């Protein structure tokens, strides 16, 4: 991990794992510095950017992504660029979902056994993860066959403030 510090208004802040040249692209929210959005079409405004796994039909309409699976352990995904060792927050919301629906991250270009996951509870799943490579697979997974309706997906990089 790399660390650098700056003093503003008499307060010294040490940044972990983020270089000085990109620090201005982050926003302070609830004591965390948050980067820009990494998901394309996470608000489902257009019918694009989400890939269906086999045995899955993705439908984007009315600012939702409906994922219908005919077998278990299928869903929708997209790949994002990440920095190995970088810390990220992944949040997804769903208006309806199958039993045990979850969000998962994997270190390849397609869904597989993930290195981190979080179940949807009351329509929300949140996961903080450390990237293990330069490409991370973001996966909305139906654990059982059926239909889940996703209303938003977000992944942003976090800056650790020491």
């Amino acid at each position: 991990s790399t660390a650098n510090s700056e003093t503003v208004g008499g307060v010294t802040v040490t940044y972990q794992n983020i270089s000085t040249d990109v620090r201005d692209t982050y926003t302070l929210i609830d004591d965390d510095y948050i980067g820009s959005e990494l998901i394309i079409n996470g608000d489902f405004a257009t019918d694009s950017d989400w890939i269906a796994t086999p045995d899955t039909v993705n439908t984007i309409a009315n600012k939702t992504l409906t994922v219908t699976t005919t077998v278990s352990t299928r869903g929708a995904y997209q790949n994002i660029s990440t920095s190995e060792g970088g810390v990220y927050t992944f949040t997804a919301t769903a208006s309806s979902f199958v039993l045990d629906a979850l969000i998962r991250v994997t270190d390849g270009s397609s869904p597989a056994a993930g290195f981190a996951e979080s179940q949807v509870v009351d329509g929300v799943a949140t996961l903080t993860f450390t990237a293990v490579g330069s490409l991370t697979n973001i996966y909305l997974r139906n654990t059982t066959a059926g239909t889940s309706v996703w209303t938003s997906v977000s992944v942003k990089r976090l800056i650790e403030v020491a």
Side-chain angles (χ1 to χ4, degrees), residues 1-156:
S1 104
T2 58
N4 52 62
S5 300
E6 80 175 339
T7 302
V8 177
V11 176
T12 301
V13 176
T14 301
Y15 298 88
Q16 299 289 340
N17 301 320
I18 191 73
S19 60
T20 306
D21 61 328
V22 296
R23 190 177 306 143
D24 290 340
T25 63
Y26 290 76
T27 305
L28 181 63
I29 300 174
D30 295 330
D31 297 325
D32 288 319
Y33 281 93
I34 310 291
S36 58
E37 183 59 59
L38 299 174
I39 291 292
I40 299 170
N41 197 31
D43 62 355
F44 311 117
T46 61
D47 189 6
S48 64
D49 303 299
W50 289 94
I51 302 165
T53 60
D55 305 308
T56 303
V57 174
N58 292 345
T59 305
I60 296 178
N62 302 316
K63 297 201 173 211
T64 62
L65 167 61
T66 301
V67 177
T68 303
T69 56
T70 57
V71 297
S72 62
T73 67
R74 300 288 190 254
Y77 69 94
Q78 96 174 224
N79 299 309
I80 61 169
S81 294
T82 51
S83 296
E84 185 174 345
V87 178
Y88 298 82
T89 182
F90 174 7
T91 303
T93 59
S95 59
S96 63
F97 47 94
V98 299
L99 178 68
D100 297 329
L102 56 85
I103 60 175
R104 175 181 279 178
V105 290
T106 68
D107 61 348
S109 60
S110 62
F115 62 84
E117 63 186 31
S118 177
Q119 243 182 328
V120 178
V121 177
D122 295 329
V124 179
T126 302
L127 174 64
T128 299
F129 67 93
T130 301
V132 298
S134 62
L135 183 68
T136 299
N137 178 267
I138 301 300
Y139 186 23
L140 308 174
R141 184 174 187 242
N142 281 359
T143 305
T144 57
T147 299
S148 294
V149 179
W150 299 92
T151 55
S152 68
V153 179
S154 174
V155 176
K156 296 180 179 182

